[in-house]
Amino acid sequence: MITRKEYQNSQKRNSIDDDFIKRDEPVEQPTLKRTRPEEKKGKAHAMTTEQKTKRLGRRLNWAIAFLILAIIVVYLILIYVNP
């Protein structure tokens, strides 16, 4: 039978051993990839202002619908739970 203190000491030793193993492993060097300004500009301006406006309008419509639904749910809860 192993005591709690012996078990904790063995766990500490194992974690220390794991730390040493991790420290000795080779580290991957981050690659520095440069993007061209043309690529950034192409990605950022892929949508026209009209498309952005339509997308924003759709998102706002969904947000308004969600808020109205949430208000209705709260009122129903208040009516039926608190007589």
Side-chain angles (χ1 to χ4, degrees):
M1 192 76 169
I2 188 170
T3 64
R4 182 179 291 188
K5 187 168 186 149
E6 290 172 348
Y7 176 75
Q8 288 173 349
N9 287 338
S10 69
Q11 291 298 319
K12 285 181 186 177
R13 272 188 257 118
N14 288 341
S15 68
I16 290 172
D17 291 342
D18 291 341
D19 291 340
F20 280 119
I21 291 171
K22 288 179 184 176
R23 186 187 71 183
D24 292 339
E25 291 177 354
V27 178
E28 293 182 23
Q29 296 296 327
T31 58
L32 299 175
K33 184 179 178 182
R34 296 186 65 176
T35 57
R36 296 182 184 143
E38 301 88 35
E39 291 177 5
K40 288 182 183 177
K41 194 179 282 187
K43 291 179 183 176
H45 298 290
M47 294 190 334
T48 63
T49 55
E50 184 179 337
Q51 290 173 334
K52 289 181 183 179
T53 307
K54 286 182 180 179
R55 185 180 73 177
L56 181 62
R58 269 187 263 125
R59 287 185 177 182
L60 287 173
N61 287 339
W62 278 106
I64 291 168
F66 173 75
L67 288 174
I68 291 172
L69 182 66
I71 290 170
I72 292 171
V73 168
V74 168
Y75 277 121
L76 289 174
I77 290 172
L78 288 173
I79 290 170
Y80 290 112
V81 172
N82 207 5

